Amino acid sequence: MQPIFCDGRFVASAATEGFTAINPATGEPLPETYPVSPRAELGTLAAAGKRAAVALRGIEPARLGEFLERCATEIEGSADAIAACAARETGLALRPRLREVEMARTLHQLRQAAASARDRSWATPVVDAANNLRADSCALGGAVLVIGPSNFPLAFNGVCGGDFASAIAAGNPVIAKAHPGHPGTTRLLMECVERALQKCPALPRAMVQMFYQCTPQDGLWLVGQREVAAVGFTGSRASGLKIKEAADRAGKPAYVEMSSVNPVFVLPAGLETKSAKVAEDFAASVLLAAGQMCTSPGLVIVQASPAAETLVADVAARLRAATPGVLLGAGGPTQLEGAVATLCGAGARVVVGGKRVAGAGCRFENTLLRATGEQFLAAPDALQTEAFGSAALFVVARDGDEMLAIAEALHGSLTGSVYSDDRGDDEELYRRLAPILCERVGRLLNDKMPTGVTVSPAMNHGGPFPATGHPGFTGVGFPAAIRRFSKLICFDHVRPGRMCQTHSSWSDPRSLS
């Protein structure tokens, strides 16, 4: 059984139960066995994480930046092996998806976080010298539990993904939980982190720890432990809500990314002039990575017209012609079957697809459903069920007013897209639609599909519930993403020398006035 990483070294787990990952392209189990850590072992990780948080008090920001950069360098040196393992465990394409695209993003995130750690651009220092008040952001004082998703085995991994980089940059130790769909990838990333830690002796041994799996009950218990200061989670809505509830009971922040249908509105004049482009853009977006992207377009709203019927037929033909992609695990086809059943039970009908693909691998037919605007407004909750895969619902509205009513009924999403005519014929409807969408999404797009998230300081990868648990924060983009894992502290009439002792960013007395 593979070891966990606890308090600075790989150690044998006390687990009596284990699990294996599968190759979703074939359905065959992979040879390595990984432990299901018992509660006592999780407690040991939490205690070591708290000790690390204490040791990090007053750590120079440059040390954190150096560590994140060394993590990137170590991963770069092992990139081929890591990407190959991720492809084997997830069924995602080795090239260009994993080896070139996602690997580059992972390294870029780590290095951007390192730069933000050094210059503390994520912090919010305020000096009111007249009243002898000084406020700033600082680390949380405990470990951050990072739980990564299935669909980004590198860039969102619990080890070296975006939440990991953000928590470290703010000065927090990390306890990373591997995703059971790609444990071997996480182990290889943890080996890179171990080598980086060995080259950064100023950092505590438990700066980063990692375990593979635990029972749901023990995981919620760990969330509630005092030594755990915050949680970063990307995954399903059901799990995210349970984690958020456990964190709320314990009075600590949990940043959860959960569910998003990412609506796309095609306005009437734009539909007439851009139907072929919309069909091409949509098919490419919804088929990307077998539809297993958190920003995959799952809901398209158009106005009834011959052009709308042409668009539906064009999209259906493209989905029918494309080979169904490999899903991330055995639960993928089952989840999609349930989502299609829910959508159909609420009035939608299948245009193409709708069934799992026979055979040993994890596949589901590329699926298009349709419903009327009236049906959507009669059952908006059920018809916003997320189908995590290459599946989407087209809603055909009666007119512009019904399109606006549909927008008013939308749940929160990460993104919202609007395709419109370039000559300005859709401007009046766009003017009424955009403010409604801006209340319901974290990122508004024009004339493009939402897949593809640029790691930029201007990016918002967040949104209203249920896209995330808090609409005021982003999971992508530095320095903003770092602020999630910090707290605000005010020094009221505290002597300058004492502040220098307790707050590393104010070690220079010139920053106090």
Side-chain angles (χ1 to χ4, degrees):
M1 198 174 291
Q2 294 293 320
I4 64 170
F5 194 79
C6 177
D7 202 10
R9 58 195 182 97
F10 281 100
V11 298
S13 171
T16 57
E17 298 178 44
F19 71 95
T20 57
I22 69 164
N23 181 335
T26 64
E28 296 176 350
L30 296 169
E32 298 85 2
T33 302
Y34 300 89
V36 179
S37 291
R39 182 171 295 192
E41 190 162 89
L42 302 180
T44 299
L45 295 170
K50 177 60 180 180
R51 291 194 300 272
V54 172
L56 284 169
R57 292 173 185 166
I59 192 76
E60 298 92 338
R63 302 287 190 185
L64 303 172
E66 177 192 4
F67 171 63
L68 289 168
E69 286 181 346
R70 287 192 180 278
C71 287
T73 299
E74 293 294 338
I75 291 170
E76 213 163 26
S78 301
D80 288 340
I82 292 169
C85 184
R88 194 163 50 248
E89 292 183 320
T90 65
L92 295 170
L94 175 61
R95 306 192 106 99
R97 162 64 197 266
L98 291 169
R99 180 60 184 88
E100 281 78 35
V101 178
E102 194 176 340
M103 179 63 71
R105 175 176 171 175
T106 304
L107 300 173
H108 183 49
Q109 288 176 166
L110 288 166
R111 287 168 173 148
Q112 280 199 342
S116 293
R118 281 198 168 95
D119 64 20
R120 298 197 81 249
S121 55
W122 57 273
T124 53
V126 178
V127 175
D128 178 0
N131 290 301
N132 205 1
L133 294 170
R134 289 158 183 84
D136 201 3
S137 305
C138 64
L140 294 169
V144 174
L145 174 62
V146 178
I147 305 170
S150 60
N151 60 335
F152 276 85
L154 307 179
F156 278 83
N157 199 296
V159 177
C160 290
D163 284 355
F164 168 101
S166 296
I168 296 291
N172 304 284
V174 163
I175 299 172
K177 180 192 174 296
H179 191 280
H182 45 75
T185 304
T186 306
R187 176 178 54 80
L188 293 177
L189 289 169
M190 191 65 240
E191 289 174 358
C192 293
V193 172
E194 180 188 30
R195 294 193 294 271
L197 281 170
Q198 290 170 351
K199 296 172 183 176
C200 296
L203 297 180
R205 297 191 334 163
M207 186 77 198
V208 180
Q209 301 179 96
M210 184 272 294
F211 69 102
Y212 294 99
Q213 183 62 299
C214 62
T215 66
Q217 296 82 2
D218 286 348
L220 296 177
W221 173 86
L222 178 59
V223 168
Q225 295 309 290
R226 292 182 62 186
E227 296 91 346
V228 174
V231 183
F233 167 83
T234 305
S236 72
R237 182 172 177 177
S239 296
L241 288 177
K242 290 176 183 177
I243 288 169
K244 186 177 185 301
E245 181 182 9
D248 286 344
R249 281 199 306 268
K252 64 187 66 174
Y255 297 100
V256 293
E257 181 193 325
M258 297 177 289
S259 173
S260 185
V261 296
N262 304 300
V264 178
F265 285 79
V266 187
L267 304 191
L271 182 59
E272 294 287 343
T273 59
K274 297 182 178 179
S275 179
K277 174 176 171 52
V278 172
E280 181 181 7
D281 289 358
F282 172 80
S285 186
V286 80
L287 292 170
L288 183 65
Q292 299 165 116
M293 307 283 281
C294 46
T295 53
S296 185
L299 178 65
V300 181
I301 301 93
V302 299
Q303 184 174 313
S305 68
E309 296 306 317
T310 298
L311 175 63
V312 171
D314 191 353
V315 168
R318 291 171 187 268
L319 296 189
R320 190 180 292 112
T323 301
V326 178
L327 298 174
L328 291 163
T334 302
Q335 178 273 141
L336 280 164
E337 278 183 332
V340 169
T342 298
L343 293 166
C344 290
R349 67 176 178 85
V350 174
V351 178
V352 64
K355 303 186 298 296
R356 67 170 66 214
V357 175
C362 304
R363 292 178 175 84
F364 196 88
E365 292 176 341
N366 302 322
T367 299
L368 179 67
L369 304 99
R370 68 179 290 170
T372 66
E374 183 179 9
Q375 288 172 321
F376 184 90
L377 293 173
D381 293 342
L383 289 177
Q384 289 180 76
T385 298
E386 183 181 32
F388 194 62
S390 293
L393 171 68
F394 268 53
V395 175
V396 182
R398 181 178 59 254
D399 53 26
D401 287 339
E402 192 165 76
M403 293 180 83
L404 295 173
I406 291 168
E408 293 278 9
L410 291 175
H411 299 162
S413 270
L414 295 168
T415 71
S417 303
V418 182
Y419 279 78
S420 60
D421 181 66
D422 294 335
R423 299 165 302 183
D425 291 348
D426 288 317
E427 285 309 298
E428 175 59 25
L429 183 54
Y430 182 87
R431 182 186 62 79
R432 298 168 66 194
L433 173 64
I436 300 171
L437 274 183
C438 283
E439 293 178 359
R440 288 160 177 79
V441 304
R443 178 164 55 112
L444 179 66
L445 302 96
N446 278 191
D447 300 306
K448 65 181 291 192
M449 290 292 163
T451 42
V453 179
T454 303
V455 182
S456 161
M459 176 53 65
N460 177 27
H461 188 66
F465 179 86
T468 73
H470 195 305
F473 295 89
T474 176
V476 173
F478 303 102
I482 300 170
R483 297 186 184 112
R484 297 172 297 162
F485 303 115
S486 67
K487 67 181 288 287
L488 187 64
I489 187 167
C490 175
F491 294 94
D492 188 343
H493 215 74
V494 175
R495 300 172 194 172
R498 290 178 174 176
M499 277 194 293
C500 292
Q501 294 169 5
T502 59
H503 201 64
S504 59
S505 67
W506 284 340
S507 58
D508 182 353
R510 291 174 295 179
S511 64
L512 301 174
S513 59

